[in-house]
Amino acid sequence: MSTHDQHFPPSEVGRPGETGQHGHAGDHHMEHDHHAEHGGGAGHGHGGTVSWGMAAQATLHCLTGCAIGEVLGMVIGTALGWPNLPTITLAVALAFFFGYALTMRGVLKAGLTLRAAFKVALAADTVSIAIMEILDNGVMLVVPGAMHAGLASPLFWGALAFAFLVAFVLTTPINRWMIGRGKGHAVVHRYHH
């Protein structure tokens, strides 16, 4: 039994009738097995199990960047008395900026060029950040008076905290699904050593 075969049950390795495809599939599974080493033993893709902890960690990573940008955008827009649309536009733009920046910071440490790091950040975070932004800005718009409450108001900060909680809870299962298919934050895991 080879080293590679030890990582997968017999049902996954060398199925009858798949001898011509085993080499390619084996390489693909090896890549996913590498990801599993960085996820608390959770595998990725093709039926692999991704832990809720791993999905939550990936979501929290995205949410951190989103929260920095979102709070900054909301604070600037609210302080300047801007209407909802420009305030939300600024908050979303800054959320993407800081979300990508956090991911790029991590993969740049692994030796990637700036361009390659940006491509990894786009692949890893775009869907997650977009979903979170739709959810948390949606919550801010539906909570009565939240967008116009002012920075000194507990309503503003309470609504924003609730919006982040909703975004986290609803985005985590989506991130789990994407990581399980080798997408989203699974792209970043290969650069963590």
Side-chain angles (χ1 to χ4, degrees), residues 7-47:
H7 293 290
F8 298 95
S11 62
E12 292 287 326
V13 179
R15 288 186 185 133
E18 293 183 3
T19 54
Q21 298 173 354
H22 180 66
H24 172 72
D27 291 343
H28 187 68
H29 284 304
M30 273 182 80
E31 178 183 324
H32 287 298
D33 188 53
H34 171 76
H35 297 313
E37 295 170 13
H38 298 291
H44 300 283
H46 300 291

Side-chain angles (χ1 to χ4, degrees), residues 127-159:
V127 172
S128 184
I129 293 172
I131 292 167
M132 281 193 234
E133 287 306 297
I134 290 167
L135 291 170
D136 62 36
N137 282 296
V139 169
M140 287 299 289
L141 287 170
V142 298
V143 172
M147 291 294 290
H148 302 289
L151 298 178
S153 169
L155 174 62
F156 175 82
W157 295 105

Side-chain angles (χ1 to χ4, degrees), residues 8 17 36 120 190:
F8 298 95
V120 169
R190 72 189 67 171

